Amino acid sequence: MAFSLLSAYENSAGSITVQNPATGAAVMTIREYSAGDVEAIVKKAQASLPAWSKRTGKDRAAVLKRWNDLILENQEELAQIITAECGKPLAEARGEVAYGASFVEWFAEEGKRAYGDVIPTHNPASRIVVMKQPIGVVAAITPWNFPVAMITRKVAPALAAGCPMIVKPAEATPLSALAIEELARRAGIPDDVFRIVTTSSPREVGEVLTTHPLIKKISFTGSTAVGKILMRQSADTVKKVSMELGGNAPFIVFDDADLDAAVEGALISKYRNAGQTCVCANRFYIQDGIYDAFITRFAERVASLRVGDGSENGTDVGPLINAAAVEKVNALVKSAVTDGARTVLGGTPDARGGNFYAPTLLADITPDMDIARAEIFGPVATVFRFTSEDDVVAQANDTPYGLAAYFYARDLGRVWRVAEALEYGMVGINEGILSTEVAPFGGIKESGVGREGSRYGIDEYMEMKYCLFGGLGN
Ligand code: SIN
């Protein structure tokens, strides 16, 4: 299928051929940026900084709002591009485009409110003013699981703050990124202020971005292992970093929960994007009194999910991103079953073959199993039984990760106690999805540094400068 948003990027002599994970078919071939190309792009971004940062917040907001409108006007084609290269069902891809645009609209507004401060002085002859200024050129490295929204969530606050940004999208999903860049051009965002660099050599390009002295900040979404490497590489030039890394989200259901709501929350939290989000529920802890009832009802709902090509009507669960992902998920499932897990549903690659994995439900999981510690990143729910609140909170926190956690309960005292005790950056209480542009998204522990979205998100791209105005007399 030819995409009109990508016509300027078609390059049959290029060296990156993007594949559809549902069919294995080639979607499109595009050019490759070398480390040397990226070096030149960094210099141009730096040259664009004075003019872009001097524009008023209102002026940048007008450009960003045009970008937001164009993204929404092109929602259908963008969704088709997402589905073609990332595999998620079209309905989810449409949702992602709207989610992605919401960050552009939000930060267009926030850019106008990047207020500083006047601090009551310590000396009558002086005044203290705090101003916020754009940090400088920013680089982002973005993942394949949300190939539009994870870009706009970083680019919009950077641009709103007055910073140029260079984005290296995931090797598997560069087309959505290019389509977003095309719309940015149409909206009037200057070429050097926002550049996508597509490459199949992520290490080399990543090294330029993380070590270049002109780049002042790195924003990354991806695995904890890669995040640690990027943090180390960024250390020599002391860059500010935002890291949105892996998770191992607990999803706890207490005896007093609304069971129907918990089952629906579990379904969406686990099987969205075929389980390939950092905030997907990864470990289900169900209290004794409702353990069997929860599994029966959850299994009924999981069994109703339709596996298929994301472009087919009625598909709930698309393919995994590639064969390696299927192998990894399958190995975790096999090892759990060998260690005593009970297969309630699935447990194998899907009968369709290729990159499809059957929606799977495993019960009677114990903390010593490999699957209890790994970020599964696939359509596999693992269920643990628990008895006491203290015990389940300890188990939920027993991980180096701290991104998202969920729990269902109705007792008000318990709700507060558990919300406060969970060591996570985000907690969904009686909700299975917590992503929105208005709230701060991010993790603690080895799940990351910094927050995206919300009124806090723009601060990641600004420096605070304290000015002491002295000699003013009394
Ligand atoms: C992610 O998986 O990294 C992001 C998920 C979201 O924003 O909901």
Side-chain angles (χ1 to χ4, degrees), residues 11-18 28-33 198-200:
N11 184 333
S12 50
S15 44
I16 304 178
T17 298
V18 180
M28 190 172 147
T29 301
I30 53 170
R31 74 166 278 195
E32 161 111 36
Y33 285 81
T198 49
T199 182
S200 55

Side-chain angles (χ1 to χ4, degrees), residues 420-435:
E420 287 175 359
L422 287 170
E423 295 165 357
Y424 288 83
M426 299 176 280
V427 182
I429 301 150
N430 299 322
E431 292 282 353
I433 295 234
L434 34 62
S435 310

